[in-house]
């Protein structure tokens, strides 16, 4: 009965590979987000979708492409992975824009 | 865009003492200020939040105060316990976006 779930929890891959991270929420929320947390614990918004429509895209390289097949899912695809992409990626959801955001457990990405 | 500064970056207190974490924000349009607790290996969890029409909010040992004029807000934890040890983040919401402070690592020594 996890509210916001992400898979995989850990992801270790080589530079240049393409990988995807999946996120699902069972809260019935309309808005979903992707955040990146770097090694210094700084949390920064990457993307936000509201009712499957992109509303925030914060200066993220084009190698990152979010996809929202329905309101309950927001997946993140990353092309041509670089060393600097190593971080923890968090998915979150909220009932609507400006409402409380609930975070998933995170996906720890390590690019070698 | 919004800029949120959080202090201190680390805080060590004795069990039973109080802990205070302070944040300032830059965008006067910000109207929602949540606080999150992040334990090791987990995602941030909301512990308390406050909206701009309220000056103070309390939930058991946790309280948050907001000064809109000065554009700062604070988290107060009383009677700290070892399980309060974690990283705490403040955040401010403006322009469809939540901007986080840099985090405070709180260590409660038994």
């Amino acid at each position: 009965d996890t509210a916001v779930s992400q898979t995989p929890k850990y992801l270790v891959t080589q530079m240049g590979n393409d990988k995807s991270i999946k996120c699902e929420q069972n809260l019935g929320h309309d808005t979903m987000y992707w955040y990146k947390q770097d090694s210094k614990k700084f949390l920064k918004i990457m993307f936000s979708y509201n009712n499957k429509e992109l509303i925030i895209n914060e200066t993220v390289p084009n190698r990152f492409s979010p996809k929202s097949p329905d309101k309950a899912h927001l997946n993140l695809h990353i092309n041509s992975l670089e060393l600097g992409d190593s971080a923890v990626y968090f998915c979150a959801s909220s009932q609507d824009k400006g409402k409380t955001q609930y975070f998933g457990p995170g996906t720890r990405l390590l690019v070698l | 865009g919004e800029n949120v500064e959080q202090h201190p970056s680390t805080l060590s207190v004795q069990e039973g003492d109080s802990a205070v974490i302070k944040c300032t924000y830059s965008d006067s349009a910000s109207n929602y200020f949540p606080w999150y607790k992040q334990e090791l290996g987990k995602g941030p969890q909301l512990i308390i939040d406050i909206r701009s029409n309220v000056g103070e909010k309390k939930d058991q040992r946790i309280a948050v105060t907001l000064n809109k004029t000065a554009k700062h807000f604070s988290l107060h934890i009383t009677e700290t316990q070892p399980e309060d040890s974690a990283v705490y983040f403040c955040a401010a919401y403006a322009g469809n976006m939540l901007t986080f402070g840099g985090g405070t690592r709180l260590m409660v020594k038994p």
Side-chain angles (χ1 to χ4, degrees), chain A residues 9 33 35 37 40-45 48 55-56 58 90 96-106 108, chain B residues 4 32 36 38-46 49 51 87 89 93 95-103 105:
Chain A
K9 187 168 183 179
Y33 313 82
Y35 286 87
Q37 187 172 48
K40 294 183 179 179
K41 296 287 189 183
F42 190 67
L43 263 169
K44 186 160 171 55
I45 183 78
S48 175
I55 56 172
I56 293 174
E58 277 292 297
F90 287 102
D96 199 351
K97 296 174 282 185
K99 301 295 186 185
T100 300
Q101 294 185 22
Y102 297 88
F103 283 76
R108 285 140 191 85
Chain B
V4 178
Y32 173 59
Y36 285 85
Q38 186 177 21
E39 296 176 328
L40 193 63
K42 296 185 178 180
Q45 299 293 312
L46 180 78
D49 56 10
R51 296 205 176 259
V87 179
F89 292 95
Y93 183 83
N96 287 332
M97 202 157 69
L98 200 57
T99 301
F100 283 83
R105 184 176 298 278

Side-chain angles (χ1 to χ4, degrees), chain A residues 59-95:
Chain A
T59 59
V60 178
N62 290 338
R63 299 181 295 103
F64 290 79
S65 53
K67 283 187 174 50
S68 182
D70 54 58
K71 284 197 320 183
H73 296 84
L74 180 62
N75 303 322
L76 184 65
H77 189 75
I78 316 170
N79 287 328
S80 303
L81 278 156
E82 300 177 357
L83 293 176
D85 297 332
S86 297
V88 183
Y89 292 84
F90 287 102
C91 176
S93 73
S94 63
Q95 188 177 18

Side-chain angles (χ1 to χ4, degrees), chain A residues 15-69:
Chain A
M15 259 194 331
N17 284 350
D18 303 339
K19 290 293 179 185
S20 292
I21 307 172
K22 296 186 176 182
C23 177
E24 177 181 1
Q25 54 94 3
N26 62 5
L27 297 167
H29 288 169
D30 285 344
T31 310
M32 295 186 72
Y33 313 82
W34 276 110
Y35 286 87
K36 180 180 181 180
Q37 187 172 48
D38 62 23
S39 57
K40 294 183 179 179
K41 296 287 189 183
F42 190 67
L43 263 169
K44 186 160 171 55
I45 183 78
M46 298 173 69
F47 300 102
S48 175
Y49 270 72
N50 182 255
N51 281 316
K52 293 171 53 183
E53 184 179 335
L54 181 67
I55 56 172
I56 293 174
N57 182 344
E58 277 292 297
T59 59
V60 178
N62 290 338
R63 299 181 295 103
F64 290 79
S65 53
K67 283 187 174 50
S68 182

